[in-house]
Amino acid sequence: MKRRKIPKKDSLAVGAQSCATECGERTNVIAGPSVLSKPNFRRSSRITASDLTKRERNLLLKEQEYRLRIQQLDERMSSLLDREDEAAAKLSQLAKKEAQNVLGQLEEHFTCALCYEIMAYPYTLNPGQCGHTFCAICILKWFFSRLHRVCGGWHEAVDCPICRSVLVITPDHVPRPPTTFPFVPNRVATAVVESLVEKLARSSPPVVKQEDPEALRMSETDKEGRKQKREVPKLEDDCSSEVDLDAWREGGSLRIEWLKRDSDGKREMNNIVRSWSTLGSNDFLLLKQRLEV
């Protein structure tokens, strides 16, 4: 099949027309974005007085809302501080009541009948029918007060200062058996007394948390009003019991005195127990002199 030949004039016209079409499209593509991206040089409209008034009114409303929130937060903070102070006061009251109960137990069950103080290093008299307990240093002073100063012996029977039960007679000859020692340690009473005394030493009132002035946004008048409004529960005990509790705490006068009596009694009693079987009349006289009886 033979191809049809296009005249040269017609091919030139078609080529010119297609070229013109392509050039027009390129012109439109290039010109389009430049027209769209052309900036708008119109001046922005100015804010009117009514808009300013409306904005100012909105700002005032927000300020009032924030002030109300701040006031509510201050009230909540004041309420929390009141609760904290009330809890601290109750804790202090409970600690003092517990310390008073401990001191009451010591005074009721562990008071020495010779010195009328809390027992220090308690020792019990040897006869089984007696069993009364005293401070170690007190019972030693009482026992050696019956020693005769001339011969260094006991001419009379030594009895209990409470029930008058006769103690084991101390033999004059040495070595004497350990069973003739007139005292036995009361380890249960010693453990209980030491535990209760240590509780009194640690019964310091709880530390109240101080208020942080930067954390509070209350004025001084609000703080004064809150302090006047707050009611701290008061203890029903008297001042004398409070003084006694302070004296039994760490560094107190009664605690220092008890520690000294406990140390002296432990030292003297242990020395006598170790050398009891070999002690003679001269040794007993020296002990009487050292005990100052």
Side-chain angles (χ1 to χ4, degrees), residues 171-213:
D172 294 333
H173 60 277
V174 292
R176 62 179 60 87
T179 55
T180 59
F181 190 67
F183 318 111
V184 291
N186 194 331
R187 305 190 186 280
V188 175
T190 301
V192 174
V193 170
E194 289 179 354
S195 176
L196 294 179
V197 170
E198 288 301 319
K199 278 187 178 181
L200 287 178
R202 297 191 302 266
S203 64
S204 58
V207 179
V208 181
K209 183 180 178 181
Q210 298 294 330
E211 301 177 358
D212 185 6

Short mmCIF file of all heavy atoms in Angstrom, two decimals, residues 171-213:
data_model
loop_
_atom_site.label_atom_id
_atom_site.label_comp_id
_atom_site.label_asym_id
_atom_site.label_seq_id
_atom_site.Cartn_x
_atom_site.Cartn_y
_atom_site.Cartn_z
N PRO A 171 29.00 -16.29 156.13
CA PRO A 171 30.01 -16.99 156.95
C PRO A 171 31.26 -16.14 157.13
O PRO A 171 31.65 -15.36 156.25
CB PRO A 171 30.31 -18.25 156.12
CG PRO A 171 29.17 -18.39 155.16
CD PRO A 171 28.70 -16.99 154.87
N ASP A 172 31.91 -16.32 158.29
CA ASP A 172 33.14 -15.57 158.56
C ASP A 172 34.35 -16.21 157.89
O ASP A 172 35.28 -15.50 157.49
CB ASP A 172 33.37 -15.47 160.07
CG ASP A 172 32.31 -14.63 160.75
OD1 ASP A 172 31.74 -13.75 160.06
OD2 ASP A 172 32.04 -14.86 161.94
N HIS A 173 34.37 -17.53 157.78
CA HIS A 173 35.54 -18.20 157.23
C HIS A 173 35.51 -18.17 155.70
O HIS A 173 34.43 -18.10 155.09
CB HIS A 173 35.59 -19.66 157.73
CG HIS A 173 34.38 -20.45 157.32
ND1 HIS A 173 33.18 -20.42 158.04
CD2 HIS A 173 34.18 -21.29 156.26
CE1 HIS A 173 32.31 -21.20 157.44
NE2 HIS A 173 32.88 -21.74 156.38
N VAL A 174 36.68 -18.17 155.12
CA VAL A 174 36.84 -18.19 153.67
C VAL A 174 37.58 -19.46 153.27
O VAL A 174 38.38 -20.00 154.07
CB VAL A 174 37.60 -16.92 153.18
CG1 VAL A 174 36.76 -15.69 153.39
CG2 VAL A 174 38.96 -16.79 153.87
N PRO A 175 37.39 -19.96 152.06
CA PRO A 175 36.45 -19.43 151.06
C PRO A 175 35.00 -19.79 151.39
O PRO A 175 34.72 -20.92 151.78
CB PRO A 175 36.91 -20.11 149.78
CG PRO A 175 37.52 -21.40 150.21
CD PRO A 175 38.16 -21.13 151.56
N ARG A 176 34.13 -18.85 151.25
CA ARG A 176 32.71 -19.07 151.50
C ARG A 176 32.02 -19.46 150.19
O ARG A 176 32.39 -18.99 149.12
CB ARG A 176 32.08 -17.82 152.12
CG ARG A 176 32.14 -16.60 151.25
CD ARG A 176 31.46 -15.42 151.94
NE ARG A 176 32.09 -15.07 153.21
CZ ARG A 176 33.14 -14.25 153.31
NH1 ARG A 176 33.67 -13.70 152.22
NH2 ARG A 176 33.67 -13.97 154.47
N PRO A 177 31.01 -20.28 150.23
CA PRO A 177 30.32 -20.73 149.01
C PRO A 177 29.56 -19.58 148.34
O PRO A 177 29.07 -18.67 149.02
CB PRO A 177 29.37 -21.82 149.52
CG PRO A 177 29.20 -21.55 150.97
CD PRO A 177 30.48 -20.92 151.46
N PRO A 178 29.44 -19.61 147.01
CA PRO A 178 28.71 -18.54 146.32
C PRO A 178 27.24 -18.47 146.68
O PRO A 178 26.61 -17.42 146.52
CB PRO A 178 28.91 -18.89 144.83
CG PRO A 178 30.10 -19.79 144.79
CD PRO A 178 30.10 -20.54 146.08
N THR A 179 26.68 -19.57 147.16
CA THR A 179 25.26 -19.56 147.52
C THR A 179 24.95 -18.69 148.72
O THR A 179 23.78 -18.38 148.99
CB THR A 179 24.79 -21.00 147.79
OG1 THR A 179 25.62 -21.59 148.80
CG2 THR A 179 24.87 -21.84 146.52
N THR A 180 25.98 -18.27 149.45
CA THR A 180 25.75 -17.42 150.61
C THR A 180 25.66 -15.93 150.25
O THR A 180 25.42 -15.11 151.14
CB THR A 180 26.89 -17.61 151.62
OG1 THR A 180 28.14 -17.27 150.99
CG2 THR A 180 26.95 -19.05 152.12
N PHE A 181 25.85 -15.63 148.96
CA PHE A 181 25.73 -14.22 148.55
C PHE A 181 24.27 -13.79 148.71
O PHE A 181 23.36 -14.46 148.20
CB PHE A 181 26.17 -14.05 147.10
CG PHE A 181 26.30 -12.62 146.67
CD1 PHE A 181 27.26 -11.79 147.21
CD2 PHE A 181 25.43 -12.09 145.73
CE1 PHE A 181 27.38 -10.47 146.82
CE2 PHE A 181 25.53 -10.77 145.33
CZ PHE A 181 26.51 -9.96 145.88
N PRO A 182 24.01 -12.70 149.42
CA PRO A 182 22.62 -12.38 149.82
C PRO A 182 21.76 -11.76 148.71
O PRO A 182 20.59 -11.45 148.97
CB PRO A 182 22.81 -11.39 150.96
CG PRO A 182 24.11 -10.75 150.70
CD PRO A 182 24.97 -11.77 150.03
N PHE A 183 22.28 -11.59 147.51
CA PHE A 183 21.51 -10.92 146.46
C PHE A 183 21.60 -11.72 145.16
O PHE A 183 22.60 -12.41 144.91
CB PHE A 183 22.03 -9.49 146.19
CG PHE A 183 22.35 -8.73 147.44
CD1 PHE A 183 23.67 -8.42 147.76
CD2 PHE A 183 21.35 -8.33 148.31
CE1 PHE A 183 23.98 -7.72 148.91
CE2 PHE A 183 21.66 -7.65 149.47
CZ PHE A 183 22.98 -7.33 149.77
N VAL A 184 20.57 -11.59 144.35
CA VAL A 184 20.55 -12.20 143.01
C VAL A 184 20.08 -11.14 142.02
O VAL A 184 19.21 -10.30 142.35
CB VAL A 184 19.63 -13.43 142.95
CG1 VAL A 184 20.20 -14.57 143.76
CG2 VAL A 184 18.23 -13.08 143.41
N PRO A 185 20.64 -11.13 140.82
CA PRO A 185 20.22 -10.12 139.84
C PRO A 185 18.81 -10.38 139.32
O PRO A 185 18.45 -11.52 139.03
CB PRO A 185 21.26 -10.25 138.73
CG PRO A 185 21.76 -11.65 138.84
CD PRO A 185 21.71 -12.00 140.30
N ASN A 186 18.04 -9.34 139.23
CA ASN A 186 16.70 -9.42 138.64
C ASN A 186 16.80 -8.97 137.18
O ASN A 186 16.63 -7.79 136.87
CB ASN A 186 15.73 -8.55 139.43
CG ASN A 186 14.28 -8.83 139.09
OD1 ASN A 186 13.97 -9.25 137.98
ND2 ASN A 186 13.39 -8.61 140.05
N ARG A 187 17.07 -9.90 136.29
CA ARG A 187 17.34 -9.55 134.89
C ARG A 187 16.09 -9.07 134.16
O ARG A 187 16.17 -8.24 133.26
CB ARG A 187 17.97 -10.74 134.18
CG ARG A 187 19.22 -11.26 134.87
CD ARG A 187 19.97 -12.28 134.04
NE ARG A 187 21.07 -12.86 134.80
CZ ARG A 187 22.24 -12.27 134.99
NH1 ARG A 187 22.46 -11.07 134.49
NH2 ARG A 187 23.19 -12.87 135.68
N VAL A 188 14.94 -9.61 134.54
CA VAL A 188 13.69 -9.17 133.89
C VAL A 188 13.42 -7.71 134.22
O VAL A 188 13.11 -6.89 133.33
CB VAL A 188 12.53 -10.06 134.34
CG1 VAL A 188 11.22 -9.54 133.76
CG2 VAL A 188 12.75 -11.51 133.89
N ALA A 189 13.51 -7.37 135.51
CA ALA A 189 13.29 -5.98 135.90
C ALA A 189 14.33 -5.06 135.27
O ALA A 189 14.01 -3.94 134.85
CB ALA A 189 13.32 -5.85 137.42
N THR A 190 15.57 -5.52 135.18
CA THR A 190 16.62 -4.69 134.55
C THR A 190 16.30 -4.40 133.10
O THR A 190 16.42 -3.24 132.64
CB THR A 190 17.98 -5.40 134.65
OG1 THR A 190 18.29 -5.63 136.03
CG2 THR A 190 19.07 -4.57 134.01
N ALA A 191 15.88 -5.42 132.34
CA ALA A 191 15.56 -5.22 130.92
C ALA A 191 14.37 -4.29 130.74
O ALA A 191 14.38 -3.41 129.88
CB ALA A 191 15.29 -6.57 130.27
N VAL A 192 13.34 -4.45 131.57
CA VAL A 192 12.15 -3.62 131.44
C VAL A 192 12.46 -2.16 131.80
O VAL A 192 12.05 -1.23 131.09
CB VAL A 192 11.02 -4.17 132.32
CG1 VAL A 192 9.81 -3.23 132.29
CG2 VAL A 192 10.59 -5.55 131.83
N VAL A 193 13.18 -1.97 132.89
CA VAL A 193 13.49 -0.59 133.31
C VAL A 193 14.36 0.10 132.27
O VAL A 193 14.11 1.27 131.91
CB VAL A 193 14.19 -0.61 134.68
CG1 VAL A 193 14.74 0.77 135.02
CG2 VAL A 193 13.21 -1.05 135.76
N GLU A 194 15.37 -0.57 131.76
CA GLU A 194 16.23 0.04 130.74
C GLU A 194 15.45 0.39 129.48
O GLU A 194 15.66 1.45 128.88
CB GLU A 194 17.38 -0.90 130.40
CG GLU A 194 18.42 -1.03 131.51
CD GLU A 194 19.53 -1.98 131.13
OE1 GLU A 194 19.42 -2.62 130.05
OE2 GLU A 194 20.51 -2.11 131.90
N SER A 195 14.53 -0.50 129.08
CA SER A 195 13.71 -0.22 127.89
C SER A 195 12.82 1.00 128.09
O SER A 195 12.71 1.86 127.21
CB SER A 195 12.87 -1.45 127.55
OG SER A 195 12.01 -1.19 126.47
N LEU A 196 12.16 1.08 129.25
CA LEU A 196 11.27 2.22 129.51
C LEU A 196 12.05 3.52 129.66
O LEU A 196 11.59 4.58 129.21
CB LEU A 196 10.45 1.94 130.78
CG LEU A 196 9.46 0.77 130.68
CD1 LEU A 196 8.73 0.59 132.00
CD2 LEU A 196 8.45 0.99 129.56
N VAL A 197 13.21 3.46 130.28
CA VAL A 197 14.02 4.67 130.42
C VAL A 197 14.48 5.17 129.04
O VAL A 197 14.51 6.38 128.78
CB VAL A 197 15.21 4.41 131.35
CG1 VAL A 197 16.20 5.57 131.31
CG2 VAL A 197 14.73 4.22 132.78
N GLU A 198 14.85 4.24 128.16
CA GLU A 198 15.25 4.64 126.80
C GLU A 198 14.07 5.24 126.03
O GLU A 198 14.24 6.15 125.23
CB GLU A 198 15.82 3.44 126.05
CG GLU A 198 17.19 3.00 126.54
CD GLU A 198 18.20 4.13 126.42
OE1 GLU A 198 18.18 4.85 125.40
OE2 GLU A 198 19.01 4.30 127.36
N LYS A 199 12.87 4.72 126.27
CA LYS A 199 11.69 5.32 125.64
C LYS A 199 11.48 6.75 126.09
O LYS A 199 11.14 7.63 125.28
CB LYS A 199 10.44 4.49 125.96
CG LYS A 199 10.25 3.26 125.09
CD LYS A 199 8.92 2.61 125.37
CE LYS A 199 8.70 1.41 124.46
NZ LYS A 199 7.39 0.75 124.71
N LEU A 200 11.68 6.99 127.37
CA LEU A 200 11.56 8.37 127.86
C LEU A 200 12.62 9.27 127.26
O LEU A 200 12.37 10.44 126.97
CB LEU A 200 11.67 8.38 129.39
CG LEU A 200 10.48 7.85 130.18
CD1 LEU A 200 10.78 7.89 131.66
CD2 LEU A 200 9.22 8.66 129.86
N ALA A 201 13.82 8.74 127.06
CA ALA A 201 14.90 9.55 126.48
C ALA A 201 14.59 9.93 125.04
O ALA A 201 14.97 11.02 124.58
CB ALA A 201 16.22 8.79 126.55
N ARG A 202 13.87 9.08 124.30
CA ARG A 202 13.54 9.35 122.90
C ARG A 202 12.19 10.02 122.72
O ARG A 202 11.76 10.23 121.59
CB ARG A 202 13.56 8.06 122.09
CG ARG A 202 14.91 7.38 122.03
CD ARG A 202 14.90 6.28 121.01
NE ARG A 202 13.88 5.28 121.30
CZ ARG A 202 14.09 4.17 121.99
NH1 ARG A 202 15.29 3.91 122.46
NH2 ARG A 202 13.12 3.30 122.21
N SER A 203 11.52 10.34 123.82
CA SER A 203 10.18 10.91 123.71
C SER A 203 10.22 12.41 123.54
O SER A 203 9.57 13.17 124.26
CB SER A 203 9.36 10.57 124.96
OG SER A 203 9.95 11.19 126.11
N SER A 204 11.01 12.87 122.58
CA SER A 204 11.06 14.31 122.29
C SER A 204 9.84 14.69 121.49
O SER A 204 9.36 13.92 120.66
CB SER A 204 12.33 14.64 121.50
OG SER A 204 12.37 13.90 120.30
N PRO A 205 9.29 15.89 121.71
CA PRO A 205 8.09 16.32 120.96
C PRO A 205 8.40 16.41 119.48
O PRO A 205 9.51 16.77 119.08
CB PRO A 205 7.77 17.71 121.55
CG PRO A 205 9.05 18.15 122.19
CD PRO A 205 9.76 16.91 122.64
N PRO A 206 7.45 16.05 118.58
CA PRO A 206 7.69 16.10 117.14
C PRO A 206 7.96 17.50 116.65
O PRO A 206 7.41 18.47 117.16
CB PRO A 206 6.39 15.53 116.54
CG PRO A 206 5.36 15.75 117.60
CD PRO A 206 6.08 15.62 118.91
N VAL A 207 8.82 17.59 115.65
CA VAL A 207 9.17 18.88 115.05
C VAL A 207 8.05 19.32 114.11
O VAL A 207 7.67 18.58 113.21
CB VAL A 207 10.50 18.78 114.29
CG1 VAL A 207 10.86 20.12 113.67
CG2 VAL A 207 11.60 18.32 115.23
N VAL A 208 7.55 20.53 114.32
CA VAL A 208 6.50 21.08 113.48
C VAL A 208 7.12 21.72 112.25
O VAL A 208 8.06 22.51 112.36
CB VAL A 208 5.65 22.11 114.26
CG1 VAL A 208 4.54 22.66 113.38
CG2 VAL A 208 5.08 21.48 115.51
N LYS A 209 6.60 21.39 111.11
CA LYS A 209 7.12 21.93 109.86
C LYS A 209 6.85 23.42 109.78
O LYS A 209 5.74 23.88 110.01
CB LYS A 209 6.47 21.21 108.68
CG LYS A 209 7.00 21.65 107.33
CD LYS A 209 6.29 20.89 106.22
CE LYS A 209 6.78 21.35 104.86
NZ LYS A 209 6.08 20.64 103.76
N GLN A 210 7.89 24.17 109.46
CA GLN A 210 7.76 25.62 109.36
C GLN A 210 7.13 26.00 108.04
O GLN A 210 7.32 25.35 107.02
CB GLN A 210 9.14 26.27 109.50
CG GLN A 210 9.80 26.01 110.84
CD GLN A 210 9.06 26.64 111.98
OE1 GLN A 210 8.42 27.67 111.82
NE2 GLN A 210 9.14 26.03 113.15
N GLU A 211 6.38 27.10 108.05
CA GLU A 211 5.74 27.57 106.84
C GLU A 211 6.76 28.26 105.94
O GLU A 211 7.63 28.99 106.40
CB GLU A 211 4.61 28.55 107.19
CG GLU A 211 3.52 27.93 108.06
CD GLU A 211 2.48 28.96 108.43
OE1 GLU A 211 2.66 30.12 108.01
OE2 GLU A 211 1.51 28.62 109.10
N ASP A 212 6.63 28.02 104.64
CA ASP A 212 7.50 28.63 103.65
C ASP A 212 6.86 29.93 103.20
O ASP A 212 5.79 29.91 102.59
CB ASP A 212 7.69 27.69 102.47
CG ASP A 212 8.69 28.23 101.46
OD1 ASP A 212 9.31 29.27 101.78
OD2 ASP A 212 8.86 27.63 100.40
N PRO A 213 7.48 31.09 103.48
CA PRO A 213 6.84 32.35 103.11
C PRO A 213 6.72 32.53 101.60
O PRO A 213 5.82 33.22 101.13
CB PRO A 213 7.78 33.41 103.72
CG PRO A 213 9.09 32.72 103.89
CD PRO A 213 8.77 31.29 104.14
#
